[in-house]
Amino acid sequence: MNHLLSIDDLDRAALDELHALAESFLEVTGREIPKVPALRGKVVVSLFYEDSTRTRLSFETAAKRLSADVMTFAVGSSSVKKGESLRDTIQTIAAMGIDAVVVRHPSAGAAHQLARWVDASVVNAGDGRHEHPTQALLDTLTIRRHRGPAIDGLRVAIVGDVRNSRVARSDVKALALLGAEVTLVAPDTLLPPSLAGWPCTATHDLESVLGDVDVLMLLRIQRERAAEASFPSLREFTARWGLTVDRAARLAPGTLVMHPGPMNRGVEIAPEVADGPRSLIAEQVHNGVAIRMAVLWKLLSGGSGGGMVA
Amino acid sequence: MTGPTGAPSLHPVASGVLIRGGRVVDATGPRVADVLVEGGRIAAVGGDLAAGMPSGVTVLDASGCVVAPGLVDLHTHLREPGDEEAETIHTGARAAARGGYTAVIAMPNTDPPLDDAAVVAAVLARGADAACEVVAGGCITRGREGRELAPLGELHDLGVRVFTDDGACLSDAGVMRRAMEYARSLPGAVIAQHAEDPALCGHGSMHEGAWSARLGVPGRPAEAEAVIVDRDLRLAALTGTPLHVLHVSTAQAVESIREAKAAGLAVTAEATPHHFTLTDAACAGFDPVFKVHPPLRTAADRDAVRAGLADGTLDAIATDHAPHRTEEKERPFEEAPPGMLGLETALALTLTELVEPGLLTLEQALGALSWRPAAIAGLSDRHGGPIAPGGVANLCVFDPAATWEVDPTKLASRARNTPFAGRKLTGRVRHTVLAGRPTVVDGRCADGG
């Protein structure tokens, strides 16, 4: 049984295949009735131990457009409240007969643990500060749709709360697979304690990269993970590492601006920039549904071979 | 009933035990000899003692085996009172006996904690008929909260010598100093520290480094251990009180202790088998069985711990045996409790990882597992040898060449959280004798199992 737990589960061919699948599903989502019977009879469970709007809805929309049956497990009103363990919860759900579980959890590695306990496919929809692989797949798809399928050598800066960001960990890996050159931009308190083995460089100085990047990816300050203790104030963070209107004006022409959402408007990104012409933020959300269709289809259709390892 | 040590004991004393054909190894060196035990004490050590032996003497075959003083663990979590689903005094003691131990220091982080004479007395009473001697550790501070001193004198009157808030670091330097000063009035007392600065550890769940950064798991830096060790060494110099550093895990702390010993400070230290065997790479699969505090470190730290044991900077090998219920260890990595089993694998890991590769001699290894911890805990009157007539018969007989594979379902411990499942080890306990009474015979507990 195959899972998508980490970008490490993919090689370049598998990533390319998912992007190609997503392109075809983007065509489906443009139809009058944006639905195909590909996963009819399959059951997909969404199991979210953290609040989420876009990721949960995106996965559920994707599953429904593939005609899968979707079970939404609301942790807040479940036996988890009665102290049921993660293992008991997933095995109870699995006993009902499921094909895939999409899981988000505040602890790193939770999806990996689930994958050891159930036969169903496990899709990691974000585990603590570890990974969020479908976000990286949709981010790289979005970039490729603008800059052509070959993005090797493309210069990408990822700015802000890298340390607490599962998006950054997945994005760095996916971008490196495609040959992009990644620079992390943050104070050391927001960078990982070690970058040994990371295929990227890092700098404290946003000003120094503004003029020569092709893509600027902003990260949300993870206020729920106490990120604010890592710098003196939001005001000081914005002054040094926020994409203000002034800084946006100094970006090279054609530089794309991205944010995985949800945004802290006025903190990591100025509202005018988020809603401005360089911003791909709405498009990221749009592409997210197609990526998740591709992942679910790839895992559940028993489709042609190729690189979904793990 | 009074045991051979003069201490209260409920152990029935076997009529006589002859340990036959083994190689005796203790602090005085090796020799091939039989060991005859009578009335709980060693009656004779010498060449073929079987001739003319009266019937009724239990003969334990030790051919091909090492006959050593019983092992002494400075660091065992028995979980009773409070979490008897994970371990009890009796299941933990059976695990100890299976591992070759005749004494364990029960860590005081129970619920309620061992910060009160009545609780300590209850634990000692429960342990009186256990498969090893259960020696109570005592808290340094009430409730292990790091503020007010526990009744150190009352606990000392009950025989407590090792005081620690283990599980928690005593991070307040003022309280630590006060405890060390007060302990000077308590002969034999040692203040034992879980050296991990809580402010630097935060909510960390593994060693802070390349692996924690990759896995997105908040880390516990090596410096969290080093800064507390460095501070406590200065307080030991200030107060003159013996300091014992629990489960040393970093190269920095090993070096600090090495320098302190060279300067003549009264400091001792221990290392665990998991810290001299495993590294933080073991956490890559997010299995909480590898979560422990202090955490598994880098290969360089592991090698420094090995070197510290080899040159005597680290005095003892201690298990930090920390049983947890299976469902607790199936929680997500960041939420699962830290700790791993150790009693039943410590000797074999020491032989496999340290003696076999030539880092430690067999005598050094047994010193670290038996007579040196016995001395630190004030148990040398009855544990740690030497194996000579008149000595209390606390003995461990093991086959240094026997190989086996660790199977969590076959442990005597009530818990299953060994990080060594499936690992092939060399060296297996054959018999354990507690005050003259066999507690393990041919690898099985004398009470069955």
Side-chain angles (χ1 to χ4, degrees), chain A residues 130-309:
Chain A
H130 178 226
E131 281 220 38
H132 191 356
T134 57
Q135 180 72 42
L137 290 173
L138 75 88
D139 286 344
T140 45
L141 175 69
T142 304
I143 294 170
R144 288 176 107 177
R145 285 178 65 83
H146 280 265
R147 289 303 180 97
I151 61 166
D152 50 296
L154 197 78
R155 299 160 303 174
V156 181
I158 302 178
V159 185
D161 187 4
V162 178
R163 178 176 290 210
N164 294 302
S165 175
R166 51 197 172 211
V167 173
R169 279 178 181 75
S170 290
D171 269 334
V172 167
K173 291 175 184 176
L175 287 163
L177 264 186
L178 294 168
E181 293 171 11
V182 181
T183 304
L184 306 177
V185 187
D188 277 356
T189 50
L190 292 178
L191 286 174
S194 164
L195 288 174
W198 290 47
C200 61
T201 57
T203 175
H204 303 148
D205 186 8
L206 178 57
E207 296 292 336
S208 69
V209 303
L210 278 183
D212 47 31
V213 290
D214 301 298
V215 180
L216 199 64
M217 302 175 86
L218 291 319
L219 297 171
R220 189 170 62 86
I221 292 292
Q222 303 267 309
R223 300 172 84 161
E224 73 278 23
R225 294 183 221 285
E228 281 165 280
S230 299
F231 46 84
S233 67
L234 289 174
R235 178 189 160 91
E236 181 161 324
F237 175 86
T238 304
R240 288 170 171 255
W241 294 283
L243 185 57
T244 58
V245 171
D246 174 54
R247 287 205 179 98
R250 282 180 279 130
L251 288 168
T255 299
L256 307 172
V257 172
M258 302 174 74
H259 191 298
M263 289 179 278
N264 296 303
R265 283 178 180 262
V267 180
E268 35 321 311
I269 186 166
E272 298 86 340
V273 182
D275 301 329
R278 299 174 182 278
S279 168
L280 303 181
I281 295 169
E283 196 177 326
Q284 287 172 271
V285 177
H286 179 74
N287 292 341
V289 175
I291 278 293
R292 284 153 186 143
M293 289 172 79
V295 168
L296 290 172
W297 188 85
K298 181 67 190 161
L299 289 174
L300 296 185
S301 70
S304 57
M308 278 309 249
V309 288

Side-chain angles (χ1 to χ4, degrees), chain B residues 156-201:
Chain B
H156 186 267
D157 289 345
L158 288 172
V160 174
R161 294 295 178 271
V162 177
F163 293 92
T164 179
D165 281 356
D166 179 61
C169 177
L170 181 40
S171 63
D172 185 311
V175 178
M176 185 67 177
R177 176 189 177 177
R178 211 150 50 232
M180 295 184 84
E181 284 179 341
Y182 188 80
R184 293 180 67 179
S185 66
L186 307 173
V190 56
I191 299 293
Q193 175 71 289
H194 178 136
E196 277 197 294
D197 186 342
L200 281 173
C201 288

Side-chain angles (χ1 to χ4, degrees), chain B residues 401-424:
Chain B
T403 57
W404 58 294
E405 186 174 318
V406 181
D407 179 349
T409 66
K410 291 184 177 158
L411 298 175
S413 170
R414 191 158 195 184
R416 296 287 172 259
N417 57 303
T418 173
F420 301 110
R423 190 177 277 251
K424 289 187 176 58

